[in-house]
Amino acid sequence: AQRVTQPEKLLSVFKGAPVELKCNYSYSGSPELFWYVQYSRQRLQLLLRHISRESIKGFTADLNKGETSFHLKKPFAQEEDSAMYYCALRKGGTGTASKLTFGTGTRLQVTL
Amino acid sequence: DVKVTQSSRYLVKRTGEKVFLECVQDMDHENMFWYRQDPGLGLRLIYFSYDVKMKEKGDIPEGYSVSREKKERFSLILESASTNQTSMYLCASSLEGGPGEKLFFGSGTQLSVL
């Protein structure tokens, strides 16, 4: 069975400090991973996906198959980064609807 | 921009009531999903639908059913509400399945079962 683990419920960092939100997964197939974010009073939205190899709002995430990890990183935290972050693993082949398995989430708190 | 609309932001129901949660999307998306979001448990998939009248169980379907009579509308039904179904319910939709599939979420319905 697939599983996504986010070991930290809360991560508190100072503004300007580096951020790393941890995500580990277990899955027997070829993994496809995402980070979703929920800002205060906003709906959950996609932040980035490993398949796109993109950087969004200064965040990056690299899929490490050896360590089965997909940690989210940002070199310098900003106040507006404070939010709930969910790591998600997609199960499903081409053309089929995603069955995303989400982690339990990490709340990032950026303080001055 | 894609709009996923959930009909109620807050609902309070009594144990044993039949409850309907409605979700509508306006971008002709093929796939629609119902998740529940609980503190410390993250999001868990209840049901999803990949076409009109088609549905598939997610990870926690017990106590729930769904209906998709039209492409744009996906309803979650609690046949007999129980207190352990008190939760935030999130609806989502996506254009089509496949690598990199992006889900668009509604703003959620906070259901309290008393």
Side-chain angles (χ1 to χ4, degrees), chain A residues 9 32 34 36 38 43-46 49 51 86 90 93-105, chain B residues 3-4 31 33 35 37 40-43 45 48 50 56-57 90 97-103 105-107:
Chain A
K9 285 187 178 178
E32 207 186 313
F34 305 78
Y36 278 80
Q38 190 166 28
R43 56 189 68 195
L44 192 63
Q45 58 187 285
L46 178 68
R49 44 196 156 184
I51 198 170
Y86 291 97
R90 179 179 177 271
T94 303
T96 62
S98 287
K99 288 182 73 170
L100 284 182
T101 296
F102 284 83
T104 51
Chain B
K3 196 69 182 296
V4 179
N31 307 314
F33 309 82
Y35 285 87
Q37 182 182 30
L41 295 178
L43 278 78
L45 181 63
F48 68 100
Y50 49 91
E56 196 168 318
K57 292 179 180 178
L90 298 181
E101 181 183 354
K102 177 180 178 179
L103 266 61
F105 283 87
S107 53

Side-chain angles (χ1 to χ4, degrees), chain A:
Chain A
Q2 62 197 68
R3 189 179 200 143
V4 176
T5 302
Q6 293 180 253
E8 301 139 329
K9 285 187 178 178
L10 172 67
L11 182 65
S12 188
V13 301
F14 288 110
K15 181 181 173 181
V19 174
E20 184 179 50
L21 297 167
K22 290 185 167 44
C23 173
N24 288 91
Y25 67 89
S26 63
Y27 182 50
S28 56
S30 184
E32 207 186 313
L33 287 140
F34 305 78
W35 278 99
Y36 278 80
V37 61
Q38 190 166 28
Y39 301 103
S40 179
R41 288 184 289 279
Q42 293 188 28
R43 56 189 68 195
L44 192 63
Q45 58 187 285
L46 178 68
L47 180 62
L48 55 80
R49 44 196 156 184
H50 95 268
I51 198 170
S52 303
R53 295 186 158 274
E54 57 206 342
S55 173
I56 305 291
K57 299 185 179 183
F59 283 99
T60 58
D62 291 318
L63 178 60
N64 186 324
K65 291 186 180 181
E67 294 182 1
T68 59
S69 68
F70 189 57
H71 302 328
L72 184 67
K73 299 177 184 179
K74 184 170 182 176
F76 308 105
Q78 302 298 316
E79 279 183 88
E80 55 267 28
D81 297 328
S82 294
M84 191 73 170
Y85 291 80
Y86 291 97
C87 183
L89 173 67
R90 179 179 177 271
K91 177 170 111 174
T94 303
T96 62
S98 287
K99 288 182 73 170
L100 284 182
T101 296
F102 284 83
T104 51
T106 298
R107 180 166 298 284
L108 175 64
Q109 195 172 66
V110 181
T111 55
L112 296 174

Side-chain angles (χ1 to χ4, degrees), chain B residues 49-55 67-71:
Chain B
S49 168
Y50 49 91
D51 201 352
V52 175
K53 295 190 188 294
M54 305 303 286
K55 61 187 179 186
S67 172
R68 193 163 180 206
E69 296 296 318
K70 292 185 178 181
K71 193 174 186 179

Side-chain angles (χ1 to χ4, degrees), chain B:
Chain B
D1 217 8
V2 176
K3 196 69 182 296
V4 179
T5 304
Q6 295 183 232
S7 54
S8 305
R9 186 75 180 94
Y10 299 97
L11 270 181
V12 180
K13 297 293 180 181
R14 297 216 174 270
T15 303
E17 277 193 77
K18 190 168 186 175
V19 181
F20 293 85
L21 302 183
E22 305 289 345
C23 176
V24 176
Q25 50 93 3
D26 66 356
M27 285 300 289
D28 203 34
H29 280 182
E30 300 293 326
N31 307 314
M32 296 188 75
F33 309 82
W34 275 106
Y35 285 87
R36 61 178 284 177
Q37 182 182 30
D38 298 288
L41 295 178
L43 278 78
R44 292 176 292 167
L45 181 63
I46 304 170
Y47 266 98
F48 68 100
S49 168
Y50 49 91
D51 201 352
V52 175
K53 295 190 188 294
M54 305 303 286
K55 61 187 179 186
E56 196 168 318
K57 292 179 180 178
D59 299 316
I60 52 163
E62 297 78 19
Y64 303 95
S65 63
V66 291
S67 172
R68 193 163 180 206
E69 296 296 318
K70 292 185 178 181
K71 193 174 186 179
E72 67 271 18
R73 186 180 296 272
F74 192 36
S75 303
L76 180 70
I77 304 154
L78 286 66
E79 296 292 342
S80 177
S82 64
T83 54
N84 62 13
Q85 292 178 309
T86 291
S87 185
M88 172 67 82
Y89 289 87
L90 298 181
C91 176
S93 71
S94 69
L95 179 59
E96 57 187 19
E101 181 183 354
K102 177 180 178 179
L103 266 61
F104 295 85
F105 283 87
S107 53
T109 296
Q110 179 64 53
L111 172 67
S112 296
V113 182
L114 307 177

